């Protein structure tokens, strides 16, 4: 499966989700590649912070030809995760066309809900050429036990994109893991953050 993690609004946690999803897939003995299609190179920075060998390769490919170039990798990997760019550009369109599934992280904020419209529009355009393309919202950086964390699901219902049951909360361990180039389950396998990522990946694989 090729999963593109995209939202035109910056700061929604695309890279955090991308690296942790990739790491969780790789931990289950899958062959996983993480492609950094963000010109800022955050996933590459994450990999560079790691001491020792990574459980999966991370390659930079911030090109608008990504959907054409990705064929070079599909035979060698079970899953490819694409950490997408933070703006609606030709590169974002290419990352959508490359994907089987577009995962749209949304923080529990009205600004994020409004900003999601542009990505949804791009996905609709892409379905003209790729009718089986799937897309899903995931609530990320949810503040535990707050009303806005619950209400965002109702706000997203206005879009023709399903919302995953699983969500990921705002937790310090994500920043701690990123600082040393690791996934959260590598630091604390039994933590709430690790369980949230596992539940998210399991639900994605059900699609």
């Amino acid at each position: 499966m090729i999963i593109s993690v995209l939202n035109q609004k910056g700061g929604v946690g695309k890279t955090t989700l991308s690296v942790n999803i990739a790491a969780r897939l790789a931990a289950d003995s899958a062959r996983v590649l993480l492609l950094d299609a963000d010109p800022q190179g955050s996933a590459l920075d994450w990999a560079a912070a790691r001491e020792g060998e990574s459980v999966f390769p991370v390659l930079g490919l911030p090109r608008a030809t990504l959907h054409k170039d990705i064929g070079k990798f599909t035979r060698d990997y079970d899953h490819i995760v694409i950490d997408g760019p933070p703006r609606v550009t030709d590169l974002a369109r290419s990352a959508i066309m490359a994907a089987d599934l577009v995962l749209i992280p949304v923080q529990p904020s009205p600004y994020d809900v409004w900003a999601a419209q542009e990505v949804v529009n791009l996905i609709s355009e892409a379905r003209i050429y790729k009718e089986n393309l799937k897309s899903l919202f995931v609530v990320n950086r949810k503040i535990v036990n707050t009303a806005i964390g619950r209400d965002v699901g109702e706000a997203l219902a206005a879009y023709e994109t399903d919302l995953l049951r699983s969500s990921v909360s705002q937790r310090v361990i994500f920043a701690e893991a990123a600082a040393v180039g690791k996934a959260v389950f590598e630091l604390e396998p039994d933590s709430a953050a690790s369980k949230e990522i596992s539940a998210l990946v399991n639900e994605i694989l059900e699609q």
Side-chain angles (χ1 to χ4, degrees):
M1 181 186 292
I2 302 173
I3 305 166
S4 284
V5 185
L6 281 167
N7 193 325
Q8 68 95 25
K9 187 178 182 299
V12 296
K14 289 186 290 75
T15 301
T16 297
L17 282 181
S18 296
V19 299
N20 280 282
I21 289 170
R24 183 66 264 170
L25 290 167
D28 293 332
S29 300
R31 298 170 302 160
V32 179
L33 171 66
L34 176 57
L35 289 179
D36 192 340
D38 185 345
Q40 295 176 359
S42 298
L44 288 171
D45 290 341
W46 173 86
R50 185 182 183 95
E51 291 187 6
E53 189 174 347
S54 177
V55 291
F56 57 87
V58 182
L59 298 177
L61 202 64
R63 302 176 190 163
T65 56
L66 175 59
H67 62 294
K68 298 177 181 178
D69 298 336
I70 202 165
K72 302 172 186 175
F73 308 107
T74 51
R75 292 182 183 178
D76 297 324
Y77 296 97
D78 301 309
H79 303 290
I80 299 175
V81 180
I82 301 171
D83 183 17
R87 288 173 295 280
V88 171
T89 59
D90 288 342
L91 178 52
R93 289 182 174 89
S94 186
I96 290 171
M97 288 298 296
D100 300 311
L101 168 67
V102 180
L103 188 65
I104 310 169
V106 180
Q107 292 183 113
S109 154
Y111 301 107
D112 285 60
V113 174
W114 299 332
Q117 181 67 64
E118 291 192 59
V119 176
V120 171
N121 290 345
L122 284 185
I123 293 168
S124 296
E125 292 173 10
R127 284 198 177 109
I128 296 172
Y129 309 98
K130 199 171 184 177
E131 61 181 22
N132 293 324
L133 177 64
K134 295 182 179 181
S135 61
L136 293 166
F137 286 119
V138 57
V139 176
N140 193 36
R141 292 182 172 172
K142 183 175 76 172
I143 307 300
V144 180
N145 298 323
T146 59
I148 195 167
R150 296 188 296 269
D151 294 347
V152 68
E154 297 178 9
L156 290 171
Y159 297 110
E160 293 182 359
T161 296
D162 291 335
L163 172 65
L164 287 170
R165 299 183 306 276
S166 307
S167 60
V168 179
S169 302
Q170 177 85 319
R171 301 184 191 277
V172 173
I173 189 175
F174 284 107
E176 293 174 340
V180 292
K182 292 187 176 182
V184 288
F185 76 87
E186 293 181 283
L187 290 190
E188 295 184 18
D190 297 323
S191 66
S194 297
K195 292 175 181 177
E196 286 179 346
I197 292 295
S198 292
L200 174 62
V201 169
N202 288 339
E203 192 174 354
I204 288 171
L205 291 176
E206 291 171 3
Q207 303 302 311

